[in-house]
Amino acid sequence: MSKLYQAVLRIDNLYASWLKVRESARSSKSAETKSQLAEIEANPLKYIKSVQLKLAKGTYQFSEPRGIVKKKPGKKPRPLMIATLRDRIVQRAILNVLQEEKKQPILKLLGKIPQTLRTPTSIGGVPGRGVNDAILQAHRHILEGASHFIKSDIKSFFTHVRQSEFIAFISEQTGDEKFCALLKSALTTELANRDDPDIIEFSHIFPDGDKGVAQGSSLSALAANLVLSRFDAITNDGEVLTLRYIDDFIMLSGNSGKLDHKFQLALNELKRLGMEAHVPGDGTDKAARGITVKGFDFLGFNVSTSGLAPSRKSIKRLDEKFTDLVIAGKKSVVSMQSASERRSEVAYIQSLTKIDNMLRGWGDAYRICNRRLEMSRFDQRVGELLRNYRHWFSEQIRDATSEQIMRMQGVALLRDTPHLKVD
């Protein structure tokens, strides 16, 4: 058995993968995922050992993922592929091996993979890096003299990543056929529900065979970063900085002619890979070019020589989420007026907690901003809307009984506690 394959099925690796998968599964609204989660949580170690045994015997079979078409008003539908929790554990275990950073015996078997993943201009999907790292790099480069920019987005990115390119890179670096065979199986994109009407209608946006990796798979970002490693190399030099966050990238330079040349190289490399990027002036907001002194939006931030701020689009999305939470809170408060038993709905107090958590999380994501005028303006809007919400709630409870008020506030009544019948 190959050493990389053995590293995948180590019990500590599989269990660490389970903990990571469990973290996201617990917040899932899918009944199927909740059912799988309950099965594993009944005895996690026993379950993990059963997976380990099948991997060791070479009898482990990946299930076909379930396709979901994610639709949002005004946006193109997104193809998501949902694997079973069991498969997600194994996929994560494979990822852990490929992203190993400390264990020298493993690192020696990975060839140039660790070095490639440390490429400083490739940000997304890399452990220890995030949006803030990309934004701070961009801002620093502007202050150092980058006067022009071009930003773009790779079209339908994940459905155009060639699995064969990814597997070939891993094979070249590791020379491990057994490990690569497992990796290839983990990338399966054949859908379990391919005959569903909704899937048939949107079949063209899902990965097909070698072409495409699953959105939602822990391996997809890694595959994308390794496939685009040559893109990262040829679009960066001493005069042009190209920062890429998965499928979004921005190019910065003090030389507009050099910038144009590098952008054309980027387009040529993407064409070689069977991909295409938006170009400035194509009628979408996916690409733009200009001078940095006027600022630009990238990854939810507005970046300029004067500093960093949330983009207007980000503020607008936050406003929509805030409004949705208030509306949901009002609906729940009204439903509690006639409640006669304990429920799990979000009433007044819980809606305020949700709003507070959302604002704290959003604020933390933008803590590097030093231009905070728009944030202050939004604070004023939140204050006014919460004042109105509080007034509305006061009107709702004016003629309510004390019990109704407690329920509408979101405070449980002891008398509403479900009765446990004991034989």
Side-chain angles (χ1 to χ4, degrees):
M1 187 183 298
S2 76
K3 291 182 179 180
L4 289 179
Y5 193 94
Q6 285 180 323
V8 171
L9 57 82
R10 280 178 58 98
I11 197 69
D12 56 342
N13 183 29
L14 288 170
Y15 200 83
S17 300
W18 148 243
L19 294 178
K20 194 71 177 178
V21 169
R22 183 184 67 179
E23 186 180 324
S24 60
R26 283 181 170 176
S27 61
S28 174
K29 296 179 180 179
S30 166
E32 187 175 344
T33 297
K34 288 180 179 179
S35 175
Q36 294 172 21
L37 181 63
E39 178 189 354
I40 301 174
E41 287 191 314
N43 193 332
L45 189 56
K46 180 180 179 181
Y47 189 92
I48 296 303
K49 284 184 175 180
S50 70
V51 171
Q52 181 192 44
L53 183 61
K54 289 181 179 179
L55 285 167
K57 290 181 175 180
T59 59
Y60 187 90
Q61 296 289 324
F62 286 91
S63 303
E64 294 178 339
R66 185 168 50 87
I68 295 178
V69 180
K70 200 81 171 179
K71 302 174 185 176
K72 285 187 178 180
K75 291 190 175 183
K76 291 182 178 180
R78 288 176 58 220
L80 297 181
M81 301 176 69
I82 312 301
T84 63
L85 294 189
R86 186 191 69 159
D87 285 350
R88 284 185 236 176
I89 292 169
V90 179
Q91 289 168 346
R92 173 65 62 172
I94 295 171
L95 179 68
N96 291 345
V97 171
L98 288 170
Q99 291 185 157
E100 178 59 57
E101 296 177 324
K102 297 179 181 179
K103 297 175 183 175
Q104 287 301 320
I106 299 299
L107 288 171
K108 290 178 181 178
L109 300 173
L110 294 176
K112 294 181 180 178
I113 295 173
Q115 176 186 337
T116 303
L117 293 179
R118 287 195 295 268
T119 301
T121 56
S122 172
I123 313 295
V126 180
R129 298 183 198 167
V131 170
N132 286 357
D133 298 285
I135 297 303
L136 290 172
Q137 274 201 66
H139 187 238
R140 185 163 52 248
H141 206 62
I142 290 173
L143 297 181
E144 291 172 353
S147 54
H148 294 77
F149 76 89
I150 296 177
K151 67 170 187 173
S152 184
D153 170 86
I154 303 173
K155 298 179 181 179
S156 304
F157 179 57
F158 285 107
T159 53
H160 286 82
V161 175
R162 289 176 185 156
Q163 293 185 22
S164 56
E165 290 265 354
F166 175 45
I167 298 295
F169 183 88
I170 300 298
S171 179
E172 181 183 348
Q173 298 304 317
T174 67
D176 192 323
E177 293 184 9
K178 188 173 180 63
F179 176 77
C180 287
L182 179 67
L183 175 60
K184 185 175 181 179
S185 296
L187 295 173
T188 181
T189 57
E190 187 73 21
L191 297 177
N193 59 335
R194 54 187 171 274
D195 294 327
D196 288 1
D198 202 35
I199 298 300
I200 293 174
E201 180 183 354
F202 292 98
S203 60
H204 61 286
I205 67 174
F206 281 91
D208 182 18
D210 177 59
K211 184 181 175 184
V213 290
Q215 286 195 56
S217 168
S218 60
L219 290 166
S220 295
L222 174 75
N225 285 333
L226 293 181
V227 167
L228 288 175
S229 59
R230 186 170 181 271
F231 172 97
D232 296 329
I234 66 176
T235 57
N236 280 283
D237 60 23
E239 292 188 72
V240 177
L241 174 72
T242 300
L243 298 169
R244 183 180 58 78
Y245 195 95
I246 310 293
D247 55 343
D248 292 297
F249 65 93
I250 188 160
M251 311 180 83
L252 298 159
S253 179
N255 185 325
S256 61
K258 186 76 171 178
L259 191 66
D260 288 336
H261 174 66
K262 286 291 185 182
F263 185 60
Q264 188 57 54
L265 286 180
L267 296 179
N268 292 343
E269 173 62 10
L270 291 174
K271 184 178 181 180
R272 183 187 73 81
L273 294 170
M275 302 179 189
E276 186 180 0
H278 290 278
V279 297
D282 65 0
T284 72
D285 61 353
K286 299 287 187 179
R289 67 183 306 144
I291 54 176
T292 57
V293 69
K294 291 185 177 180
F296 56 83
D297 289 349
F298 187 57
L299 301 178
F301 284 77
N302 180 264
V303 184
S304 73
T305 51
S306 61
L308 307 173
S311 68
R312 290 182 178 179
K313 188 177 288 187
S314 295
I315 292 284
K316 184 175 182 293
R317 284 197 294 265
L318 176 63
D319 194 318
E320 291 170 352
K321 290 180 180 178
F322 172 76
T323 302
D324 288 345
L325 285 177
V326 172
I327 291 173
K330 287 183 175 182
K331 286 182 178 179
S332 192
V333 167
V334 171
S335 74
M336 288 297 188
Q337 288 177 328
S338 58
S340 59
E341 57 184 25
R342 195 166 73 185
R343 297 183 182 179
S344 60
E345 286 95 339
V346 176
Y348 183 68
I349 292 173
Q350 289 80 8
S351 67
L352 293 180
T353 300
K354 279 198 167 188
I355 289 169
D356 178 59
N357 289 339
M358 180 190 71
L359 292 173
R360 287 175 185 272
W362 195 92
D364 286 345
Y366 288 92
R367 62 173 54 193
I368 63 173
C369 292
N370 59 345
R371 292 161 43 213
R372 301 200 169 195
L373 179 60
E374 290 299 325
M375 297 169 83
S376 295
R377 286 174 176 168
F378 190 75
D379 284 339
Q380 293 174 6
R381 171 166 166 73
V382 169
E384 183 62 30
L385 289 175
L386 287 180
R387 186 181 297 112
N388 293 338
Y389 186 25
R390 187 166 57 249
H391 175 73
W392 174 88
F393 180 73
S394 297
E395 290 295 314
Q396 296 299 306
I397 64 173
R398 175 177 294 177
D399 300 320
T401 65
S402 59
E403 290 183 348
Q404 285 178 319
I405 291 174
M406 286 180 66
R407 293 188 183 107
M408 292 163 74
Q409 286 175 325
V411 178
L413 273 72
L414 291 178
R415 58 168 287 184
D416 290 344
T417 304
H419 177 234
L420 176 61
K421 295 181 179 180
V422 181
D423 294 332

